[in-house]
Amino acid sequence: MAKVINLRRARKTAERSAKKTRAEHNAAKYGRSKAEKELARAEQDKARRDLDGHETEE
């Protein structure tokens, strides 16, 4: 005899699994660590300061 399963629970489990897989994929594709974000922000700030330092006042 076949095992009885709750279809609602099985559907929700499958949806959670799909969301987790999609989240992992997006994290690998777009995600950056906190250190990488801070480094990029620091580089942008330095570039902005350097550019402002080269401006001439007329």
Side-chain angles (χ1 to χ4, degrees), residues 31-57:
R32 294 185 298 168
S33 70
K34 186 174 181 179
E36 290 172 332
K37 290 177 189 177
E38 289 176 354
L39 177 63
R41 188 175 300 120
E43 288 173 346
Q44 289 174 351
D45 290 344
K46 183 181 182 321
R48 191 174 296 115
R49 284 192 314 270
D50 290 347
L51 183 62
D52 290 342
H54 290 292
E55 288 182 354
T56 59
E57 296 180 17

Side-chain angles (χ1 to χ4, degrees), residues 12-26:
K12 288 183 179 183
T13 302
E15 287 174 0
R16 280 189 210 105
S17 175
K19 282 184 181 181
K20 184 176 180 182
T21 303
R22 190 173 354 158
E24 290 173 353
H25 178 263
N26 286 339

